[in-house]
Amino acid sequence: MNQIRLMKIEDYDLVNHLWCTTPGMGMRSLDDSKEGINQFLLRNPYTCFVAEYEGDLAGVILCGHDGRRGYIYHTAVKENYRKKGIGSALVNRVLEALKHQNINKAALVVYSTNELGNQFWEGLGFEMRDDLTYRNISLNQDNN
């Protein structure tokens, strides 16, 4: 891997393509639009990263926090760059960024059917919680 750097909105087209071609990713029409991601980056300028490998965008991780807990989203590595430590390096960079901002805990959601994703996160020490029920509500029916 050549470089991990902060994500810029100019990376959006390549990042979005990676997300859309990665099995197990859950994409939303508004939240994950260019405008939605720009809003996320503006709110979280120091916790979203891309990995470049030989000039190619090889991976991405989005992360934000509410001042108390960090939340990791949309982590993906191109298939041909997997098993090179890129995903782990992205996660480590995010965790360091959160620690730097005095955030002491990070969480994420993975589809239960995403075996590869669940294996990845478990391998990094992220514990599965079976004492919680995840709930959400859509505030905008256009965000499908």
Side-chain angles (χ1 to χ4, degrees), residues 1 7 20 26 28 30 35 37-38 42 59 70 73 78 93-94 96 99-100 105 109 113 121 126 137 139:
M1 169 181 32
M7 183 178 165
C20 290
R28 306 293 289 187
L30 298 178
E35 296 77 18
I37 295 300
N38 189 53
L42 290 172
Y73 306 94
K78 281 186 180 178
R93 181 65 68 90
V94 156
E96 286 302 315
K99 288 179 192 176
H100 185 72
K105 188 173 185 178
V109 175
T113 57
W121 293 110
F126 283 75
I137 189 168
L139 302 177

Side-chain angles (χ1 to χ4, degrees), residues 63-110:
C63 182
H65 69 82
D66 59 13
R68 185 168 175 260
R69 296 285 183 260
Y71 301 95
I72 298 172
Y73 306 94
H74 289 10
T75 304
V77 174
K78 281 186 180 178
E79 190 171 359
N80 56 317
Y81 292 119
R82 292 183 187 159
K83 305 292 185 193
K84 297 181 183 299
I86 293 171
S88 298
L90 285 165
V91 173
N92 289 335
R93 181 65 68 90
V94 156
L95 297 179
E96 286 302 315
L98 290 172
K99 288 179 192 176
H100 185 72
Q101 295 183 42
N102 296 315
I103 304 299
N104 299 309
K105 188 173 185 178
L108 55 97
V109 175
V110 183

Side-chain angles (χ1 to χ4, degrees), residues 18-57:
L18 174 56
W19 288 332
C20 290
T21 58
T22 299
M25 298 293 296
M27 304 297 292
R28 306 293 289 187
S29 59
L30 298 178
D31 294 340
D32 299 316
S33 67
K34 189 170 188 175
E35 296 77 18
I37 295 300
N38 189 53
Q39 183 176 349
F40 191 88
L41 292 174
L42 290 172
R43 182 171 168 82
N44 303 284
Y46 305 111
T47 55
C48 301
F49 298 93
V50 295
E52 294 176 331
Y53 193 91
E54 298 179 358
D56 191 16
L57 188 131

